[in-house]
Amino acid sequence: MGLRKARIISLATAFPAAVPSAGSPIEFTDLGLIPQLLRAVRVEEYTTPTPIQRQAIPHLLQGRDLLGCAQTGTGKTAAFALPILQRLTNTPRAANGQRPIRVLVLAPTRELVAQIAQSFKAYGRFLPHATASIFGGVSQVPQVNALRKGTDIVVATPGRLLDLMEQGHVRLDHVEVLVLDEADRMLDMGFIVPIRHIVRSMPKQRQTLLFSATMPREIMALAQSLLTSPVNVAVTPVSSAATRIDQRVAYVDKGEKLNLLLDLLKRAAVSRTLIFTRTKHGADKLAQHLQRAAIRVEALHGNKTQGARERALDNFRAGRSPVLVATDIAARGIDVEGISHVVNFDVPVEAEAYVHRIGRTARAGAEGTAITLCSIEERLDMRSIEKLIGQRVPVLEGTVEPMEMRQPARSLQPTRPGFRPGRRSFGPRGRR
Ligand code: AMP
């Protein structure tokens, strides 16, 4: 199962860009990994390393710091987990009879924490290291018990980790490796203060890795304060996602979106569908509408309890509910195979979120379709997306692109004669 090819992009100039040398290793066996890890990789049925794995693993094995511009879907978890597990295996732990935390991975959401911890367990299946997950929204008791028993690796969301530190349940004075994953998302979610607190409690002498899908100024500043002579690795599945995923846009009145969605869901090829809404309330409302139309559907967002989120994901994964309605943040890091369709019920405001959303389909070599339902009010957001991905998204078969949309974006004035927002001005052809 080959991952989509990633394209090397250049990073901001604060750090020199990493250039893969012509002699870059191309097989897992070329990367210098120990046999137990190579075996685990074989169990996972990974045949060749992804670009980020090829570029990062040899440097990380040497103990270098790393700044990675990469998002979920590039294979970045294995890129850091494999060398970390090798480091733990090759260097004996402090011999005071205890099991101190030697690796800390910080990630923005519970789902991502669970997924990263799962990856450490999978890649470390032939090694003795223990991994604990720490996240909010659930009882802290099992987490505290896991910490008491001793664990080599902790994967945590910053808020709950800081809580447990303040209660005296966590000591970070033996941490050798710190990973900040999806750093941009952590900053967006207001985790910068907890992160700074947490970092202050660990030794300065350590290996630090920072991954981020985007590199705004705040991230570069954080990287500069935490990393020492980092190697830079930048990969993005944007271009290949755009070519591998069949993208479509349907220009439709806001009030007609639900009907069009119901039509789409009836089509035979639409098997496992992930639908995005902008808000939690919107996700709940849409899920209720779909339920009323006898569609088995789950909603996933931050207001749900941990139990409800896990149940929703399990039902979606197992196919008991073929439709999942989610918000961007809740869906971050979800790795469900076989998603045939991603539907943007609302056009995302941030163009980059579009790339993350559609990347949920066409995972690990599969094909996928992404359909965006765009109302006239959302047309400028759609234009920004097309600018980012560098292509016009073709119109969904059976629907039309209204004249208003064909104008250059800046000449579109919702109040100009002939169009008033909210009026039924356009929609899918033949569906009235
Ligand atoms: P990540 O970007 O770490 O979330 O990984 C995305 C998906 O790619 C996960 O399902 C991994 O299991 C899978 N994956 C990671 N490395 C490889 C590889 N070398 N070959 C095939 N699949 C991989």
Side-chain angles (χ1 to χ4, degrees):
M1 107 172 119
L3 260 193
R4 63 191 80 119
K5 278 201 205 100
R7 182 167 58 98
I8 309 300
I9 57 164
S10 60
L11 263 182
T13 48
F15 297 105
V19 181
S21 69
S24 293
I26 45 160
E27 299 299 333
F28 275 106
T29 43
D30 297 326
L31 295 175
L33 293 169
I34 54 178
Q36 298 95 315
L37 292 173
L38 291 175
R39 232 174 111 198
V41 162
R42 275 199 301 276
V43 172
E44 294 297 310
E45 297 182 359
Y46 299 169
T47 48
T48 44
T50 65
I52 195 165
Q53 291 163 4
R54 282 206 294 276
Q55 293 175 58
I57 291 174
H59 294 292
L60 293 177
L61 286 173
Q62 287 167 11
R64 292 280 304 269
D65 282 4
L66 180 133
L67 178 62
C69 185
Q71 64 190 48
T72 299
T74 53
K76 72 179 154 68
T77 316
F80 65 77
L82 291 168
I84 286 175
L85 287 162
Q86 180 143 329
R87 176 189 180 122
L88 294 183
T89 310
N90 287 352
T91 54
R93 73 172 64 99
N96 56 0
Q98 303 216 323
R99 200 169 198 177
I101 300 167
R102 299 175 65 193
V103 176
L104 175 65
V105 182
L106 293 176
T109 63
R110 319 165 217 206
E111 284 78 15
L112 193 57
V113 164
Q115 214 169 287
I116 295 168
Q118 185 48 44
S119 297
F120 269 101
K121 286 175 192 164
Y123 304 142
R125 72 175 79 226
F126 301 115
L127 296 170
H129 316 299
T131 303
S133 317
I134 307 274
F135 45 77
V138 292
S139 158
Q140 69 172 50
V141 177
Q143 300 176 0
V144 171
N145 287 343
L147 290 166
R148 271 208 197 109
K149 260 184 26 210
T151 181
D152 309 275
I153 301 157
V154 167
V155 187
T157 51
R160 171 58 71 90
L161 182 71
L162 192 59
D163 265 6
L164 297 186
M165 283 167 64
E166 282 166 356
Q167 295 172 44
H169 295 303
V170 189
R171 290 190 51 181
L172 299 178
D173 47 357
H174 284 86
V175 170
E176 299 164 35
V177 187
L178 167 67
V179 182
L180 299 173
D181 198 13
E182 297 205 354
D184 49 353
R185 222 8 87 144
M186 288 202 280
L187 260 52
D188 280 355
M189 291 168 75
F191 283 140
I192 187 68
V193 174
I195 289 173
R196 293 262 181 220
H197 268 287
I198 292 166
V199 169
R200 274 200 292 276
S201 315
M202 58 181 68
K204 285 205 171 58
Q205 183 69 29
R206 58 163 197 267
Q207 186 179 17
T208 307
L209 286 51
L210 188 150
F211 292 90
S212 191
T214 58
M215 289 286 162
R217 216 165 336 124
E218 297 86 341
I219 294 290
M220 295 310 278
L222 185 68
Q224 253 158 340
S225 70
L226 295 181
L227 306 175
T228 312
S229 313
V231 63
N232 282 291
V233 171
V235 294
T236 170
V238 171
S239 60
S240 45
T243 54
R244 286 263 316 284
I245 299 168
D246 182 21
Q247 300 174 71
R248 300 281 155 173
V249 58
Y251 294 104
V252 58
D253 279 349
K254 219 166 151 190
E256 279 294 309
K257 284 189 175 187
L258 181 62
N259 283 338
L260 178 56
L261 176 64
L262 288 170
D263 265 14
L264 289 172
L265 292 176
K266 278 188 208 132
R267 295 184 190 175
V270 182
S271 51
R272 186 169 295 170
T273 306
L274 177 57
I275 303 173
F276 283 95
T277 59
R278 274 186 197 174
T279 64
K280 298 169 194 169
H281 176 66
D284 276 335
K285 220 170 79 186
L286 182 58
Q288 282 162 14
H289 280 305
L290 296 179
Q291 264 158 8
R292 262 182 242 133
I295 290 169
R296 283 172 292 133
V297 57
E298 299 283 349
L300 187 79
H301 55 67
N303 283 0
K304 301 249 165 194
T305 63
Q306 178 66 9
R309 287 153 74 114
E310 270 163 19
R311 259 195 316 281
L313 261 182
D314 278 354
N315 285 339
F316 185 53
R317 268 205 190 96
R320 287 186 290 273
S321 301
V323 179
L324 182 72
V325 185
T327 55
D328 287 296
I329 288 187
R332 242 349 237 233
I334 290 183
D335 185 22
V336 177
E337 288 194 6
I339 294 180
S340 67
H341 286 69
V342 167
V343 177
N344 294 315
F345 193 76
D346 301 316
V347 178
V349 185
E350 272 179 50
E352 271 150 358
Y354 175 85
V355 179
H356 290 303
R357 286 179 177 192
I358 69 167
R360 305 293 100 198
T361 181
R363 305 283 284 176
E367 303 272 300
T369 303
I371 301 172
T372 302
L373 310 189
C374 176
S375 70
I376 191 91
E377 295 85 359
E378 296 170 309
R379 72 211 179 282
L380 294 181
D381 294 329
M382 196 62 214
R383 288 288 166 270
S384 311
I385 289 165
E386 292 180 325
K387 233 164 111 189
L388 176 78
I389 61 173
Q391 66 177 85
R392 282 306 283 261
V393 175
V395 172
L396 180 71
E397 214 175 285
T399 69
V400 288
E401 183 172 16
M403 280 307 289
E404 290 95 324
M405 304 293 294
R406 286 188 209 140
Q407 311 292 328
R410 67 181 175 294
S411 73
L412 286 171
Q413 293 302 327
T415 48
R416 76 167 192 271
F419 174 76
R420 255 171 257 115
R423 218 184 84 187
R424 174 173 290 186
S425 59
F426 58 86
R429 183 187 276 157
R431 301 197 54 261
R432 297 273 154 82

